[in-house]
Coordinates of all heavy atoms in Angstrom, one line a residue:
M30 N 2.2 9.3 -18.2 CA 2.0 9.3 -16.8 C 3.2 9.0 -16.0 O 4.0 8.1 -16.3 CB 0.9 8.3 -16.4 CG -0.6 8.8 -16.8 SD -1.8 7.7 -16.1 CE -1.5 6.2 -17.1
P31 N 3.4 9.6 -14.9 CA 4.6 9.4 -14.1 C 4.4 8.1 -13.2 O 3.3 7.8 -12.8 CB 4.8 10.6 -13.3 CG 3.4 11.1 -13.1 CD 2.6 10.7 -14.4
I32 N 5.6 7.5 -13.0 CA 5.5 6.4 -12.0 C 6.0 6.9 -10.7 O 7.1 7.4 -10.6 CB 6.4 5.2 -12.5 CG1 5.8 4.6 -13.7 CG2 6.6 4.2 -11.5 CD1 6.6 3.4 -14.3
Y33 N 5.2 6.7 -9.7 CA 5.6 7.1 -8.3 C 5.9 5.8 -7.5 O 5.3 4.8 -7.7 CB 4.5 7.9 -7.7 CG 4.4 9.3 -8.3 CD1 3.3 9.7 -8.9 CD2 5.5 10.2 -8.3 CE1 3.1 11.0 -9.4 CE2 5.4 11.5 -8.8 CZ 4.2 11.9 -9.4 OH 4.1 13.1 -9.9
E34 N 6.8 6.0 -6.5 CA 7.1 4.9 -5.6 C 6.4 5.3 -4.3 O 6.5 6.4 -3.8 CB 8.6 4.8 -5.4 CG 9.0 3.5 -5.0 CD 10.4 3.2 -5.1 OE1 11.2 4.0 -5.6 OE2 10.9 2.3 -4.5
F35 N 5.7 4.3 -3.8 CA 5.0 4.5 -2.5 C 5.5 3.5 -1.4 O 6.0 2.4 -1.8 CB 3.5 4.3 -2.7 CG 2.9 5.3 -3.5 CD1 2.8 5.1 -4.9 CD2 2.3 6.5 -3.0 CE1 2.2 6.2 -5.7 CE2 1.7 7.4 -3.8 CZ 1.7 7.3 -5.1
L36 N 5.4 3.9 -0.3 CA 5.7 3.1 0.9 C 4.5 2.9 1.7 O 3.8 3.9 2.2 CB 6.9 3.7 1.7 CG 7.2 3.0 3.0 CD1 7.8 1.6 2.8 CD2 8.2 3.8 3.8
C37 N 4.1 1.7 2.0 CA 2.9 1.4 2.8 C 3.4 1.5 4.3 O 4.4 1.0 4.7 CB 2.5 0.0 2.6 SG 1.1 -0.5 3.7
K38 N 2.6 2.4 5.0 CA 2.9 2.6 6.4 C 2.5 1.4 7.3 O 2.8 1.3 8.5 CB 2.3 3.9 6.9 CG 2.8 5.2 6.3 CD 2.1 6.4 6.8 CE 2.6 7.7 6.1 NZ 1.9 8.8 6.5
I39 N 1.7 0.6 6.8 CA 1.1 -0.5 7.6 C 2.0 -1.7 7.5 O 2.5 -2.3 8.4 CB -0.2 -0.9 7.0 CG1 -1.2 0.4 7.1 CG2 -0.8 -2.0 7.9 CD1 -1.3 1.0 8.4
C40 N 2.4 -2.2 6.2 CA 3.2 -3.4 6.2 C 4.6 -3.1 5.6 O 5.4 -4.0 5.6 CB 2.5 -4.4 5.1 SG 2.5 -3.8 3.4
G41 N 4.9 -1.8 5.3 CA 6.3 -1.5 5.0 C 6.7 -1.9 3.6 O 7.8 -1.7 3.2
K42 N 5.7 -2.3 2.8 CA 6.0 -2.7 1.4 C 6.2 -1.5 0.6 O 5.5 -0.5 0.6 CB 4.9 -3.6 0.9 CG 5.0 -3.9 -0.6 CD 5.6 -5.3 -0.7 CE 5.5 -5.7 -2.1 NZ 6.4 -6.8 -2.3
Q43 N 7.2 -1.5 -0.3 CA 7.4 -0.4 -1.3 C 6.9 -0.9 -2.6 O 7.1 -2.1 -3.0 CB 8.9 -0.1 -1.4 CG 9.4 0.9 -0.4 CD 10.9 1.3 -0.6 OE1 11.2 1.5 -1.7 NE2 11.6 1.5 0.4
F44 N 6.2 0.0 -3.4 CA 5.7 -0.5 -4.7 C 5.6 0.7 -5.6 O 5.5 1.9 -5.1 CB 4.3 -1.1 -4.5 CG 3.3 -0.3 -3.7 CD1 2.4 0.5 -4.4 CD2 3.4 -0.3 -2.3 CE1 1.4 1.2 -3.7 CE2 2.4 0.5 -1.7 CZ 1.5 1.3 -2.3
E45 N 5.6 0.5 -6.9 CA 5.5 1.6 -7.8 C 4.2 1.5 -8.5 O 3.6 0.5 -8.7 CB 6.6 1.4 -8.9 CG 8.0 1.6 -8.4 CD 9.0 1.3 -9.4 OE1 8.7 0.8 -10.5 OE2 10.2 1.7 -9.2
V46 N 3.6 2.7 -8.6 CA 2.3 2.8 -9.3 C 2.4 3.8 -10.4 O 2.9 4.9 -10.1 CB 1.2 3.2 -8.2 CG1 -0.1 3.3 -8.9 CG2 1.2 2.2 -7.1
L47 N 1.8 3.6 -11.5 CA 1.6 4.6 -12.5 C 0.4 5.4 -12.1 O -0.7 4.9 -12.1 CB 1.3 3.8 -13.8 CG 1.7 4.5 -15.1 CD1 3.2 4.8 -15.3 CD2 1.2 3.6 -16.3
V48 N 0.7 6.6 -11.9 CA -0.4 7.5 -11.3 C -0.8 8.5 -12.3 O 0.0 9.3 -12.8 CB 0.1 8.2 -10.0 CG1 -1.0 9.0 -9.4 CG2 0.6 7.2 -9.0
S49 N -2.0 8.6 -12.6 CA -2.6 9.7 -13.4 C -2.7 10.9 -12.6 O -2.7 10.8 -11.3 CB -3.9 9.3 -14.0 OG -4.8 9.0 -12.9
I50 N -2.7 12.1 -13.2 CA -2.9 13.3 -12.5 C -4.1 13.4 -11.6 O -5.2 13.1 -12.1 CB -2.9 14.5 -13.5 CG1 -1.5 14.6 -14.3 CG2 -3.2 15.8 -12.8 CD1 -1.5 15.5 -15.4
G51 N -3.8 13.6 -10.4 CA -4.9 13.7 -9.5 C -5.3 12.3 -8.8 O -6.2 12.2 -8.1
G52 N -4.6 11.4 -9.3 CA -5.0 10.0 -8.9 C -4.3 9.4 -7.7 O -4.4 8.3 -7.3
E53 N -3.4 10.3 -7.2 CA -2.6 9.8 -6.0 C -3.5 9.3 -4.9 O -3.1 8.4 -4.2 CB -1.7 11.0 -5.6 CG -0.4 11.2 -6.5 CD 0.3 12.3 -6.0 OE1 0.6 12.4 -4.7 OE2 0.8 13.1 -6.8
K54 N -4.5 10.1 -4.6 CA -5.3 9.7 -3.4 C -6.0 8.4 -3.6 O -6.5 7.8 -2.6 CB -6.2 10.8 -3.1 CG -7.1 11.2 -4.2 CD -8.0 12.4 -3.9 CE -8.9 12.8 -5.0 NZ -8.2 13.3 -6.2
D55 N -6.0 7.9 -4.8 CA -6.7 6.6 -5.0 C -5.8 5.4 -4.9 O -6.2 4.3 -5.0 CB -7.3 6.6 -6.3 CG -8.5 7.7 -6.4 OD1 -9.1 8.0 -5.4 OD2 -8.6 8.2 -7.5
V56 N -4.5 5.8 -4.6 CA -3.6 4.6 -4.6 C -3.6 3.9 -3.3 O -3.7 4.5 -2.2 CB -2.1 5.2 -4.9 CG1 -1.1 4.0 -4.8 CG2 -2.0 5.8 -6.2
S57 N -3.6 2.6 -3.3 CA -3.6 1.9 -2.0 C -2.4 0.8 -2.1 O -2.0 0.5 -3.3 CB -4.9 1.3 -1.7 OG -5.3 0.4 -2.8
C58 N -2.1 0.3 -1.0 CA -1.0 -0.7 -1.0 C -1.3 -1.9 -1.9 O -2.3 -2.5 -1.8 CB -0.7 -1.1 0.4 SG 0.6 -2.3 0.6
K59 N -0.3 -2.3 -2.7 CA -0.5 -3.5 -3.5 C -0.4 -4.8 -2.7 O -0.8 -5.8 -3.1 CB 0.6 -3.5 -4.6 CG 0.3 -2.6 -5.7 CD 1.3 -2.8 -6.8 CE 1.0 -1.9 -8.0 NZ 2.0 -2.1 -9.1
N60 N 0.2 -4.7 -1.5 CA 0.4 -5.9 -0.7 C -0.8 -6.1 0.2 O -1.3 -7.2 0.3 CB 1.7 -5.7 0.1 CG 2.1 -7.0 0.7 OD1 2.1 -8.0 0.1 ND2 2.4 -6.9 2.0
C61 N -1.2 -5.1 1.0 CA -2.2 -5.3 1.9 C -3.4 -4.5 1.7 O -4.5 -4.6 2.3 CB -1.7 -5.0 3.4 SG -1.4 -3.2 3.7
G62 N -3.4 -3.6 0.6 CA -4.6 -2.9 0.3 C -4.9 -1.7 1.1 O -6.0 -1.0 0.9
N63 N -4.0 -1.4 2.0 CA -4.3 -0.3 2.9 C -4.1 1.1 2.2 O -3.1 1.2 1.3 CB -3.4 -0.3 4.1 CG -3.9 0.5 5.3 OD1 -3.8 1.7 5.2 ND2 -4.5 -0.1 6.3
G64 N -4.8 2.1 2.5 CA -4.6 3.4 1.9 C -3.6 4.3 2.6 O -3.4 5.4 2.2
D65 N -3.1 3.8 3.8 CA -2.2 4.7 4.5 C -0.8 4.5 4.0 O 0.0 3.8 4.5 CB -2.3 4.2 6.0 CG -1.7 5.3 6.9 OD1 -1.3 6.4 6.4 OD2 -1.6 5.1 8.1
I66 N -0.5 5.2 2.9 CA 0.7 5.1 2.2 C 1.5 6.5 2.2 O 0.8 7.5 2.2 CB 0.6 4.5 0.8 CG1 -0.4 5.4 0.0 CG2 0.2 3.1 0.9 CD1 -0.5 4.9 -1.4
E67 N 2.7 6.4 1.8 CA 3.5 7.6 1.7 C 4.2 7.6 0.4 O 4.8 6.6 0.0 CB 4.6 7.6 2.9 CG 5.5 8.7 2.9 CD 6.5 8.7 4.1 OE1 6.4 7.7 4.8 OE2 7.5 9.4 4.0
K68 N 4.1 8.7 -0.3 CA 4.8 8.8 -1.6 C 6.2 9.2 -1.4 O 6.7 10.0 -0.7 CB 4.1 9.9 -2.4 CG 4.6 9.9 -3.9 CD 3.8 10.9 -4.7 CE 4.5 12.2 -4.8 NZ 3.8 13.1 -5.7
L69 N 7.1 8.3 -2.1 CA 8.5 8.5 -2.0 C 9.0 9.4 -3.1 O 8.2 9.7 -4.0 CB 9.2 7.2 -2.1 CG 8.8 6.2 -0.9 CD1 9.6 4.9 -1.1 CD2 9.1 6.8 0.4
V70 N 10.2 9.8 -3.0 CA 10.7 10.6 -4.1 C 10.7 9.9 -5.4 O 10.8 8.7 -5.5 CB 12.2 11.0 -3.7 CG1 12.8 11.9 -4.8 CG2 12.3 11.6 -2.4
S71 N 10.4 10.6 -6.5 CA 10.3 10.1 -7.8 C 11.4 9.1 -8.2 O 12.6 9.3 -7.7 CB 10.2 11.2 -8.8 OG 11.3 11.1 -9.7
S72 N 11.2 8.2 -8.9 CA 12.2 7.1 -9.1 C 13.1 7.4 -10.2 O 13.9 6.5 -10.6 CB 11.5 5.7 -9.4 OG 10.7 5.9 -10.5
F73 N 13.2 8.6 -10.7 CA 14.0 8.9 -11.7 C 15.5 8.7 -11.4 O 16.3 8.3 -12.3 CB 13.9 10.4 -12.1 CG 12.6 10.7 -13.0 CD1 11.5 11.3 -12.5 CD2 12.6 10.2 -14.3 CE1 10.4 11.5 -13.2 CE2 11.5 10.4 -15.1 CZ 10.4 11.1 -14.5
G74 N 15.9 8.9 -10.2 CA 17.3 8.9 -9.9 C 17.8 7.6 -9.3 O 18.9 7.4 -9.1
I75 N 16.8 6.7 -9.2 CA 17.2 5.3 -8.6 C 18.2 4.6 -9.5 O 18.1 4.5 -10.7 CB 15.9 4.6 -8.4 CG1 15.2 5.1 -7.2 CG2 16.2 3.1 -8.2 CD1 13.9 4.4 -6.8
G76 N 19.2 4.1 -8.8 CA 20.2 3.4 -9.6 C 21.3 4.3 -10.0 O 22.4 3.8 -10.4
G77 N 21.2 5.5 -10.0 CA 22.1 6.5 -10.4 C 23.3 6.6 -9.4 O 24.4 6.4 -9.6
G78 N 22.9 6.9 -8.1 CA 23.8 7.0 -7.1 C 24.8 8.1 -7.3 O 24.5 9.2 -7.9
S79 N 26.1 7.8 -7.0 CA 27.1 8.8 -7.2 C 27.5 9.0 -8.6 O 28.1 10.0 -9.0 CB 28.3 8.4 -6.4 OG 28.8 7.1 -6.8
S80 N 27.1 8.1 -9.5 CA 27.6 8.2 -10.9 C 26.5 9.0 -11.8 O 26.7 9.2 -12.9 CB 27.7 6.8 -11.6 OG 26.5 6.2 -11.6
K81 N 25.5 9.5 -11.1 CA 24.4 10.2 -11.7 C 24.9 11.5 -12.4 O 24.7 11.7 -13.5 CB 23.4 10.6 -10.7 CG 22.0 11.0 -11.3 CD 21.0 11.2 -10.2 CE 20.0 12.2 -10.6 NZ 19.2 12.7 -9.4
L82 N 25.6 12.3 -11.6 CA 26.2 13.6 -12.2 C 27.1 13.3 -13.4 O 27.1 13.9 -14.4 CB 26.9 14.3 -11.1 CG 26.1 15.5 -10.5 CD1 27.0 16.2 -9.4 CD2 25.7 16.5 -11.6
K83 N 27.9 12.3 -13.2 CA 28.9 12.1 -14.1 C 28.3 11.7 -15.5 O 28.7 12.1 -16.6 CB 29.8 10.9 -13.7 CG 31.2 10.9 -14.3 CD 32.1 9.8 -13.6 CE 33.5 9.8 -14.2 NZ 34.2 8.7 -13.6
S84 N 27.3 10.8 -15.4 CA 26.7 10.3 -16.7 C 25.8 11.4 -17.3 O 25.6 11.4 -18.5 CB 25.9 9.1 -16.4 OG 24.9 9.3 -15.5
A85 N 25.4 12.4 -16.5 CA 24.5 13.4 -17.0 C 25.3 14.3 -18.0 O 24.8 14.7 -19.1 CB 23.9 14.2 -16.0
S86 N 26.5 14.6 -17.6 CA 27.3 15.4 -18.5 C 28.6 14.7 -18.8 O 29.4 14.3 -17.9 CB 27.6 16.8 -17.9 OG 28.3 16.6 -16.7
N87 N 28.8 14.3 -20.0 CA 29.9 13.5 -20.4 C 31.3 14.1 -20.1 O 32.2 13.4 -19.8 CB 29.8 13.0 -21.8 CG 29.1 11.7 -22.0 OD1 29.1 10.9 -21.1 ND2 28.5 11.5 -23.1
G88 N 31.3 15.3 -20.2 CA 32.6 16.1 -20.1 C 32.8 16.7 -18.8 O 32.8 16.1 -17.7
C89 N 32.8 18.0 -18.8 CA 33.1 18.7 -17.6 C 31.9 18.8 -16.6 O 30.7 18.9 -17.1 CB 33.4 20.2 -17.9 SG 33.7 21.2 -16.6
S90 N 32.1 18.7 -15.3 CA 31.0 18.7 -14.4 C 30.8 20.1 -13.9 O 29.8 20.4 -13.1 CB 31.4 17.8 -13.2 OG 32.6 18.2 -12.7
T91 N 31.6 21.1 -14.3 CA 31.4 22.5 -13.8 C 30.8 23.3 -14.8 O 29.9 24.1 -14.5 CB 32.8 23.1 -13.4 OG1 33.6 22.1 -12.6 CG2 32.7 24.4 -12.7
C92 N 31.2 23.2 -16.0 CA 30.6 24.0 -17.1 C 29.8 23.0 -18.0 O 29.8 21.9 -17.8 CB 31.7 24.8 -17.9 SG 32.6 23.7 -18.9
S93 N 29.2 23.6 -19.0 CA 28.3 22.7 -19.9 C 28.9 22.1 -21.1 O 28.3 21.5 -21.9 CB 27.0 23.6 -20.3 OG 27.4 24.8 -20.9
A94 N 30.2 22.4 -21.2 CA 30.9 21.9 -22.3 C 31.0 20.4 -22.3 O 31.1 19.8 -21.2 CB 32.3 22.5 -22.4
T95 N 30.9 19.7 -23.4 CA 31.0 18.3 -23.5 C 32.4 17.8 -23.3 O 32.7 16.7 -22.9 CB 30.4 17.7 -24.7 OG1 30.9 18.4 -25.8 CG2 29.0 17.9 -24.8
S96 N 33.4 18.7 -23.8 CA 34.7 18.3 -23.6 C 35.5 19.5 -23.0 O 35.7 20.5 -23.7 CB 35.4 17.9 -24.9 OG 36.7 17.6 -24.8
C97 N 35.9 19.5 -21.8 CA 36.5 20.7 -21.1 C 37.7 20.3 -20.4 O 37.7 19.4 -19.5 CB 35.5 21.3 -20.1 SG 36.1 22.6 -19.2
D98 N 38.8 21.0 -20.7 CA 40.1 20.7 -20.0 C 40.4 21.9 -19.1 O 41.4 21.8 -18.4 CB 41.2 20.6 -21.0 CG 41.0 19.3 -21.8 OD1 40.5 18.3 -21.3 OD2 41.3 19.3 -23.0
T99 N 39.7 23.0 -19.1 CA 40.2 24.1 -18.4 C 39.7 24.2 -17.0 O 40.3 24.7 -16.1 CB 39.8 25.4 -19.2 OG1 38.3 25.4 -19.4 CG2 40.4 25.5 -20.5
C100 N 38.5 23.7 -16.7 CA 37.9 23.9 -15.4 C 37.7 22.6 -14.6 O 36.7 22.5 -13.8 CB 36.7 24.8 -15.4 SG 35.4 24.2 -16.4
K101 N 38.5 21.6 -14.9 CA 38.2 20.3 -14.2 C 39.0 20.4 -12.8 O 40.0 21.0 -12.7 CB 38.9 19.2 -15.0 CG 37.7 18.5 -15.7 CD 38.3 17.3 -16.6 CE 37.2 16.9 -17.5 NZ 37.7 15.9 -18.5
Ligands
ZN228 ZN1 0.7 -2.6 2.9

């Protein structure tokens, strides 16, 4: 099951919920219990920042080679 991040529109609290397929509409704020929430972008990229691309491919960022000296 994917973990989604939600933002409560009422109290502004951000929280993560493990959501089963089709279960998004049943999610409510963990802080105030309100159902008026907004789903944020999946948390896969969180913490990656600018180093995300670099760590994804150890070598060249242009081609798929792991060690590339020609197209850097
Ligand atoms: Zn709330």
Side-chain angles (χ1 to χ4, degrees):
M30 282 192 289
I32 293 180
Y33 289 119
E34 202 168 351
F35 292 90
L36 171 68
C37 177
K38 291 179 182 175
I39 306 303
C40 68
K42 174 95 174 171
Q43 278 186 35
F44 55 98
E45 291 177 348
V46 181
L47 205 66
V48 184
S49 58
I50 293 172
E53 282 178 41
K54 55 184 178 297
D55 296 328
V56 178
S57 56
C58 177
K59 282 186 175 178
N60 190 45
C61 70
N63 199 287
D65 197 4
I66 54 175
E67 180 181 350
K68 192 171 97 176
L69 302 179
V70 184
S71 117
S72 57
F73 280 109
I75 284 184
S79 57
S80 64
K81 191 175 153 195
L82 256 181
K83 205 173 177 183
S84 61
S86 62
N87 267 333
C89 180
S90 59
T91 310
C92 71
S93 57
T95 50
S96 178
C97 174
D98 293 325
T99 52
C100 59
K101 263 179 189 172

